Amino acid sequence: MNDMVVTQYWMFGVMGIMIAYGVCAVIGTLKSK
Amino acid sequence: MKIGILVAVLIYEIVVIFGVGFWLSKKRNKDESEGFALAGRNMGLFTLATTISLTVLGSAHILGTFEMTFGMGAVAIWFSLAHVILIIVACFGTGLWVRRLGVTTVPEALTSMYGKNISLAIACVMAGVIWGILTLECQGIGIVIATMTGWSITQAAIVGGILGIFYVVLAGMEEVGAVNVINAVVMYIGLIIATFFIATKLPGGNFDTIQSFYENENGLAFMTNIFGTSELMITFAVGNIISVVFCQGISQMLMQACMSAQNEGTIKKAVWLAAPLNGMFGVFAVVLGLTARALPEYAALGGKAAAMAMIVDLIPMWIGAILLAALLAAILSTFAMTSLTPATIFAVDIYKGLFKKDATEREMATVIRIVVIVISVIAIAVASFLPPILAAINWLFAWLVPVFWLFVAGLFWKRHRGVAAATLIITWVLNLVWSFTGVAGAIGGTIGSLPNGYVTLISTAVILIIGNLVVKGDPGYWKVAQNVESKEVA
């Protein structure tokens, strides 16, 4: 079943982009209030 | 280094990319002089069916299916069959609904249902998911370039990624879309021709020897059965159906095609052409993947490179060159789209939406360019980890499963921002736990090996149903938007 296992480093990369966008969105929302 | 193929591929790219650019500029001038709107809702049956079918036919259908077939056999065809189910769902469900809503984008519909904050959270996760697909496109370019040059996939992915960045900067969005459709057609025909040519090169001129290889090889007989083993059906086939249908079922690209249909009847009829056209593609990819796995000289190259190397070796050079060129151009187009979309989300929703409301078009274009370059460079770096393409796609799609159900519940049942927020947060946290902790391993067995799509689907169902039963909420969008519907249908 190794074919189904996705490298954790790669998943961290995707998470990194989501978090970076999320942090910008939160800062932006707080600043615009 | 296969110089002949390399030159032929370069010529194809130049002719298609510049040819399409020239044709579009002529068309634009003509349309402007005759006063036609570029985006009318008037797409006819044949164009709509082929657009729906080809929009969801990407490089993963070739490279991902080759790779999965190599590892687990004919059960890999369920990636294609999941897309057939997706097209049915879009043509009889979501596609009709967005057409009836009269919206231009899916986020627009979500914002009017659940408000700006929920929509923004979805946009952030969606940016990550699309960026994940970008890393797979880098790997795809790497595989194609490695086939032609003999470099390692990692080296080729770095060179390919840099080429991709140049392509995004040079080609406009409209061109990218047009190039994609042309390449999907060429890829489709090329793969069918390649399958027949390879059969003629095998003993007896057919695939009988391949069939008997799997029957005689110990423990490999399941690989020629599209139902594989029961474990593969549960973990791979059903997992694919969940993530493909419930993520792509409201994807902007597919919905955009449905929004441009002449009327709802056209969308319903389109399924009869779009679904088989898309589904059949998988048959050829699986046959080629199984063949490469059975021939030792190609099997030795591993799942990612075997089938492409076999195709280039065994079919006439001109067909191989056209197939590789179309595949490369298709991947470049997807590269462009998947790098532009997160950049546009950042520029529109975050930069202009939150930080600088009076940003000019010029500033926005600069922000988009900078973000494209930054995220593409990170994608090239991450692509060198070479995750299995279909497994990675399923992992990515699993993130957006709750969004599909929020859309459906919001249309037909009830809308409540708190329930929507709880559904998204809890589902995404559980998805992280399933991905990064040892929980799945500790559970073990079939349940422990279930892909993330199951986790996000079950979590969404439980929280959304209980939440909507407990809280009052606003009535479903449809119930208050009947007047919009009757206006649209008329």
Side-chain angles (χ1 to χ4, degrees), chain B residues 60-76:
Chain B
H61 274 80
I62 292 191
L63 298 177
T65 309
F66 282 166
E67 187 189 10
M68 275 293 155
T69 308
F70 191 94
M72 56 176 66
V75 74

Side-chain angles (χ1 to χ4, degrees), chain A residues 1-15 17-18 21-22 24-29 31-33, chain B residues 68 71 120 124-125 127-129 131 135 236 342 346 350 354-355 382 385 387-388 391-392 395-396 399 432 435-436:
Chain A
M1 292 302 293
N2 281 338
D3 294 316
M4 297 287 285
V5 179
V6 183
T7 333
Q8 287 223 336
Y9 290 112
W10 177 83
M11 291 195 284
F12 282 131
V14 176
M15 294 304 308
I17 296 289
M18 287 179 187
Y21 271 68
C24 291
V26 170
I27 295 173
T29 309
K31 263 183 90 174
S32 65
K33 269 183 182 167
Chain B
M68 275 293 155
L120 190 59
C124 291
V125 168
V129 168
W131 180 83
T135 67
F236 181 77
F346 187 86
I350 296 176
L354 300 173
F355 285 93
V382 174
F385 291 108
W395 185 82
L396 290 169
W399 284 92
L432 285 180
S435 306
F436 293 106

Side-chain angles (χ1 to χ4, degrees), chain B residues 74-108:
Chain B
V75 74
I77 201 166
W78 284 92
F79 181 67
S80 272
L81 297 181
H83 282 80
V84 172
I85 300 171
L86 163 70
I87 290 173
I88 296 170
V89 168
C91 290
F92 288 108
T94 50
L96 294 181
W97 305 333
V98 289
R99 174 74 180 71
R100 209 175 296 168
L101 277 173
V103 291
T104 8
T105 65
V106 175
E108 194 185 324

Side-chain angles (χ1 to χ4, degrees), chain B residues 146-429:
Chain B
T147 310
M148 294 187 288
T149 57
W151 301 341
S152 78
I153 295 177
T154 308
Q155 288 168 331
I158 294 170
V159 175
I162 295 166
L163 273 178
I165 295 175
F166 276 112
Y167 180 67
V168 183
V169 176
L170 291 175
M173 204 51 194
E174 194 184 6
E175 165 153 6
V176 167
V179 169
N180 241 0
V181 173
I182 295 173
N183 289 312
V185 173
V186 177
M187 234 161 53
Y188 201 113
I189 298 168
L191 198 69
I192 295 173
I193 298 175
T195 310
F196 286 108
F197 260 104
I198 284 177
T200 63
K201 294 286 169 88
L202 296 171
N206 54 40
F207 291 101
D208 287 355
T209 46
I210 305 298
Q211 174 83 26
S212 43
F213 165 84
Y214 286 101
E215 280 164 4
N216 299 331
E217 197 77 9
N218 215 0
L220 291 186
F222 77 93
M223 288 185 85
T224 53
N225 183 350
I226 64 160
F227 300 105
T229 61
S230 57
E231 197 193 348
L232 284 175
M233 275 306 288
I234 295 169
T235 55
F236 181 77
V238 181
N240 258 289
I241 294 170
I242 293 172
S243 29
V244 168
V245 174
F246 299 142
C247 170
Q248 293 278 71
I250 50 159
S251 78
Q252 179 62 28
M253 284 196 297
L254 185 56
M255 292 301 102
Q256 198 151 340
C258 297
M259 287 167 196
S260 345
Q262 250 166 14
N263 53 48
E264 291 186 18
T266 320
I267 304 179
K268 285 182 192 162
K269 281 184 207 147
V271 77
W272 298 105
L273 179 60
L277 190 64
N278 184 288
M280 272 192 315
F281 192 80
V283 176
F284 297 100
V286 163
V287 167
L288 290 172
L290 282 173
T291 309
R293 171 78 175 76
L295 303 174
E297 63 269 42
Y298 302 111
L301 299 173
K304 285 189 193 292
M308 280 318 290
M310 174 189 76
I311 289 173
V312 172
D313 276 0
L314 295 187
I315 65 177
M317 194 202 88
W318 62 274
I319 303 177
I322 290 175
L323 185 62
L324 276 179
L327 185 57
L328 184 62
I331 302 175
L332 280 173
S333 298
T334 320
F335 182 100
M337 278 196 273
T338 48
S339 60
L340 275 170
T341 311
T344 313
I345 289 176
F346 187 86
V348 175
D349 292 326
I350 296 176
Y351 183 72
K352 187 170 179 160
L354 300 173
F355 285 93
K356 200 155 185 245
K357 291 197 166 43
D358 56 347
T360 61
E361 284 296 313
R362 205 188 165 132
E363 277 177 296
M364 294 282 281
T366 313
V367 172
I368 290 179
R369 272 198 205 103
I370 295 169
V371 179
V372 162
I373 293 172
V374 171
I375 61 173
S376 302
V377 169
I378 309 173
I380 294 168
V382 174
S384 60
F385 291 108
L386 305 178
I389 297 168
L390 295 192
I393 283 187
N394 280 319
W395 185 82
L396 290 169
F397 284 0
W399 284 92
L400 297 177
V401 169
V403 181
F404 178 94
W405 290 108
L406 284 180
F407 180 72
V408 175
L411 275 184
F412 292 97
W413 187 17
K414 214 182 256 185
R415 287 172 293 147
H416 187 277
R417 288 179 189 183
V419 173
T423 307
L424 292 175
I425 293 169
I426 297 173
T427 302
W428 287 339
V429 168

